[in-house]
Amino acid sequence: MFRSPAVPRVRKRSRPAESAVPGRQEVKFEDVRLYLVERKMGSSRRSFLTQLARSKGFIVDDTLSDVVTHVVSEDSQASSLWTWLKGRALKNLPAMHVLDISWFTDSMKEGRPVAVETRHLIQDALPKMTPPTPVARISQYACQRRTTTENNNKIFTDAFEVLAETYEFNEIEGPCLAFRRAASVLKSLPWAVRCLGATEDLPCLGEHSKAVMEEILQHGQSFEVEKILSDERYQTLKLFTSVFGVGPKTAEKWYRRGMRSFSDVLTEPDVRLNRMQQTGFLHYGDISRAVSKPEARALGNIIDEAVHAITSDAIVALTGGFRRGKEFGHDVDFIVSTPQEGKEEGLLTAVIGRLKHQGIVLYCDYQASTFDISKLPSHRFEAMDHFAKCFLILRLEDSQVEGGLSRAEGDRRSWRAVRVDLVSPPMDRYAFTLLGWTGSRQFERDLRRYARMERRMLLDNHALYDKTKKEFLAATTEKDIFAHLGLEYIEPWQRNA
Ligand code: UTP
Ligand code: MN
């Protein structure tokens, strides 16, 4: 049915007869409203293109009004088009996409509105009377922002992280997520916020976030954050969860039983540490210290050598924070796979066997694959993936690292312990795994949210499912996935959201 609750009634009356809809057509893209400019296009071509778009589920308005989202024109003379548009007395013109016909043809080809890219835009070249406004509105979705490792707003984002963390410790999800989103928006800015006025057009910044920012701008710190930082419960939970294998639940339990320090935990007769926690305490100094890029590279060589000693056609890909160009990480993440179907899991166990034989495995938590294609798509948002994987602690020698290990001052040891994660998807799942494990966590969350909310699609580390078409969308590269989602491609080093 050709329905659209957002359209004022009067507009139906004014629809000219020449573009009346033959039969009823289903609207697939509710939030996109096209208007085709007749100038230069001609009325017969305009009516042909209108029919075409409507047959593909697009809404095409016959009159130009403030509800239109996408204006499409074949007029290559930007200045005359803009003069005409500005004469229409539209309030919403600044928010409309004014597009060249190439956006329309691309969208018809794809059967859905493709993401607006710079090449599609018909820019208004005339000097504006009003002061320059930001070129493009910043999206509420991290997957539509480019975020490098350079953070110009660390004073604010560090504060937001403390607030998010304390809400997380108290299991209050809403504000926790809100502060993470706010931090993520600030991280994407190529400039530092110097006054509250500068945040006016930014998405995801609520009253609370702005109040914290105002305090920091005025006093150099937030009293709310300072209070949390000096809170005994916060400090203790933060300390306990810094141990490998200790989550918020365990930390809370220990805190409630009166423990405040590691020695409290280690001398308490009732505390039973599991193997992961024992290892966590044993190698605490090493694994709580950041891993450097040269150390990550050295581990890459070790994994690469082990994998290729087993099969020559195997692939090893660095993923996680180091793929995003970070200088330091809490671990190093790799994808290991083989084009030989069904052999990827065996490859992973063989790699672990080889590393063990070399005597460098200090800890290994191997999780067999529970991947079952028939169980897709997963409706569990942010669920763990089902591929074979292992969480390792490896022994890295000083001699293996270019420039040597990053050591604490006075440390004379010739090795350190490092956390390494390996995941082993079947080759046809490779692109989804690479995208999912590259992160950042916030970038992934927003990719999934965007897919769900804006595209009626479900994305996880295994697959992409189109709920409208009721089918899986295949991908061999990350670019394929961005294209399916109608998103501009974001390079790994721009995903530090
Ligand atoms: P990490 O926790 O390793 O984070 O997960 P990171 O971005 O590399 O940062 P640091 O430097 O190590 O702290 C990397 C990505 O892998 C995903 C996470 O969601 C994150 O986006 N991941 C991790 C999974 O999808 N599944 C897992 O089992 C583990
Ligand atoms: Mn990592």
Side-chain angles (χ1 to χ4, degrees), residues 319-322 324 326 329-334 419 421 437-438 441:
T319 173
F322 285 107
R324 302 197 307 272
K326 275 175 58 174
H330 98 283
D331 68 355
V332 197
D333 310 283
F334 297 98
R419 280 269 301 108
D421 287 348
W437 278 69
T438 298
R441 235 165 261 269

Side-chain angles (χ1 to χ4, degrees), residues 63-273:
T63 45
L64 179 57
S65 72
D66 278 318
V67 292
V68 165
T69 57
H70 294 60
V71 176
V72 176
S73 170
E74 264 184 332
D75 193 347
S76 54
Q77 274 212 298
S79 60
S80 65
L81 173 68
W82 274 97
T83 311
W84 180 77
L85 285 172
K86 285 175 187 167
R88 300 300 99 194
L90 296 162
K91 278 199 291 291
N92 214 17
L93 184 59
M96 289 179 196
H97 296 295
V98 179
L99 305 164
D100 168 275
I101 193 76
S102 64
W103 177 84
F104 183 87
T105 29
D106 286 357
S107 300
M108 292 307 112
K109 241 184 275 163
E110 294 276 323
R112 57 173 176 80
V114 299
V116 171
E117 293 178 27
T118 326
R119 67 186 169 89
H120 298 131
L121 296 175
I122 302 181
Q123 309 268 13
D124 180 11
L126 291 178
K128 291 194 188 89
M129 301 307 286
T130 45
T133 43
V135 193
R137 265 194 89 78
I138 293 170
S139 171
Q140 59 149 316
Y141 295 106
C143 56
Q144 290 186 306
R145 304 190 293 255
R146 294 170 199 274
T147 315
T148 64
T149 53
E150 190 185 308
N151 178 0
N152 297 299
N153 292 286
K154 201 167 179 302
I155 45 165
F156 307 114
T157 60
D158 282 352
F160 288 175
E161 189 45 48
V162 171
L163 288 157
E165 219 164 18
T166 189
Y167 281 111
E168 194 168 37
F169 286 149
N170 293 310
E171 293 178 86
I172 306 170
E173 220 175 298
C176 170
L177 201 59
F179 280 116
R180 294 239 153 91
R181 279 194 194 148
S184 178
V185 167
L186 295 185
K187 283 183 189 172
S188 76
L189 301 178
W191 41 273
V193 172
R194 300 208 193 284
C195 68
L196 211 56
T199 64
E200 215 164 87
D201 289 329
L202 301 179
C204 309
L205 291 176
E207 292 301 313
H208 197 169
S209 305
K210 286 188 179 171
V212 172
M213 290 179 79
E214 190 163 23
E215 270 191 315
I216 296 174
L217 286 166
Q218 276 181 10
H219 311 286
Q221 61 181 38
S222 150
F223 297 107
E224 190 183 357
V225 172
E226 291 309 305
K227 212 172 123 215
I228 296 167
L229 287 173
S230 61
D231 176 62
E232 190 188 40
R233 178 163 175 274
Y234 173 84
Q235 288 176 355
T236 313
L237 296 181
K238 184 97 181 126
L239 177 73
F240 290 168
T241 54
S242 74
V243 179
F244 177 59
V246 180
K249 290 255 150 62
T250 308
E252 176 72 35
K253 197 172 71 193
W254 292 346
Y255 176 77
R256 284 226 201 108
R257 288 169 55 183
M259 293 169 247
R260 296 291 180 267
S261 66
F262 287 167
S263 67
D264 286 350
V265 174
L266 297 170
T267 54
E268 169 67 52
D270 286 346
V271 168
R272 280 257 158 274
L273 297 177

